[in-house]
Amino acid sequence: FPEMLSNPRLIPVQGTLNVVMNQNVILSCHSDSGSPPVRYTLFKRNQKVSTSNRTDLTPSLFNLTINSASDMGEYKCKAENNMSSGGKYSNGLNFTLIEPISKPVLSSPTSQAKKGQNVTLSCLSENGSLPITYTFFKGRRSISQSVMKKKEAAVIFLFINSSSDFGIYKCRAENIFRNNTKYSNSFNFTVADERSRSQPLIISLGLILLLFVIGFSLAIPFFIIPSYKASE
């Protein structure tokens, strides 16, 4: 006897709804029970995309290419046979467009530091789907990790306590697109020259002293000449 179709199931053959731009994807639409032949129709935002006829209950495969953000709407499929009235609809599927990480930039407001000083390092990838996980390294040793859910830099605070705190720092950025982990440029704090820091102060004191001597020299006639005339 003819049997009414069950609601079809729409699933991605690749097993994930995460896609990148220009990726080819395959959707499978399948009713587990019902009398063939079966007519499957794929819809995107209620607009017909493609139709396939099956003479048995094997899945119907629909090939798509994600070319732009307009291809990211909800997809559904409809199954029809001679017993269906209006057809049976599947669950809805929505793809998530993921963007690979760009190379992060590691930077600091200062490139020089001295012992006892607090410094900061920031790491930022300009492109990449959120969330982004940033990992900071000192040499090959991981020293901090931050998960950023907004498009902003991850920042760590460092205390320069000894000479071992100088050296090469790097950061790593990764998101859901695991095959595209990127490392930043290297950053190395250099030891601040204390003598160079004191030179501006010495120069300033020297100028003040010079101005004082000049001012004193100019003021001498105003004190000596009146005194000399008074003595006459």
Side-chain angles (χ1 to χ4, degrees):
F1 296 95
E3 184 182 2
M4 185 176 294
L5 288 169
S6 61
N7 286 84
R9 292 181 296 112
L10 184 65
I11 59 173
V13 172
Q14 66 269 31
T16 177
L17 293 173
N18 296 318
V19 295
V20 295
M21 197 65 73
N22 300 319
Q23 179 177 336
N24 294 317
V25 296
I26 301 175
L27 294 180
S28 170
C29 186
H30 178 226
S31 289
D32 291 324
S33 60
S35 299
V38 183
R39 180 181 179 88
Y40 293 102
T41 305
L42 181 69
F43 293 87
K44 181 187 70 177
R45 299 196 192 100
N46 298 321
Q47 292 184 350
K48 185 185 295 186
V49 175
S50 182
T51 300
S52 173
N53 295 304
R54 307 297 298 176
T55 58
D56 52 24
L57 289 179
T58 56
S60 181
L61 301 180
F62 296 97
N63 292 280
L64 304 171
T65 301
I66 306 300
N67 290 316
S68 65
S70 63
D71 296 321
M72 303 303 293
E74 184 183 56
Y75 288 84
K76 284 187 176 182
C77 75
K78 181 175 72 172
E80 303 171 275
N81 69 354
N82 296 330
M83 289 291 295
S84 61
S85 175
K88 293 294 184 69
Y89 284 86
S90 73
N91 53 296
L93 289 183
N94 280 285
F95 292 107
T96 299
L97 184 64
I98 59 174
E99 184 182 11
I101 288 284
S102 61
K103 181 178 179 178
V105 176
L106 184 64
S107 61
S108 175
T110 179
S111 61
Q112 292 187 331
K114 61 180 180 178
K115 292 181 182 179
Q117 182 178 345
N118 291 305
V119 294
T120 61
L121 280 173
S122 63
C123 183
L124 176 64
S125 287
E126 289 292 340
N127 300 311
S129 300
L130 299 171
I132 299 176
T133 300
Y134 293 101
T135 306
F136 291 86
F137 294 88
K138 170 66 170 60
R140 295 185 177 181
R141 180 172 59 91
S142 171
I143 57 175
S144 178
Q145 187 174 87
S146 299
V147 178
M148 308 304 293
K149 296 181 180 180
K150 296 181 179 180
K151 188 68 71 173
E152 57 187 17
V155 179
I156 62 169
F157 299 88
L158 302 172
F159 179 69
I160 304 299
N161 189 42
S162 65
S163 57
S164 63
D165 295 320
F166 295 94
I168 296 177
Y169 289 85
K170 278 191 175 184
C171 72
R172 181 182 68 202
E174 55 189 335
N175 63 0
I176 195 171
F177 198 65
R178 296 295 183 183
N179 295 329
N180 197 50
T181 298
K182 292 292 181 65
Y183 285 84
S184 73
N185 54 293
S186 299
F187 191 93
N188 188 8
F189 291 104
T190 57
V191 181
D193 189 350
E194 297 296 332
R195 289 175 300 177
S196 63
R197 288 175 175 267
S198 64
Q199 283 179 357
L201 178 61
I202 294 174
I203 293 173
S204 299
L205 291 175
L207 289 174
I208 292 173
L209 180 60
L210 179 61
L211 291 174
F212 177 78
V213 171
I214 293 174
F216 182 75
S217 301
L218 294 174
I220 288 177
F222 294 96
F223 290 100
I224 295 179
I225 294 175
S227 301
Y228 175 75
K229 287 184 177 180
S231 64
E232 289 180 345

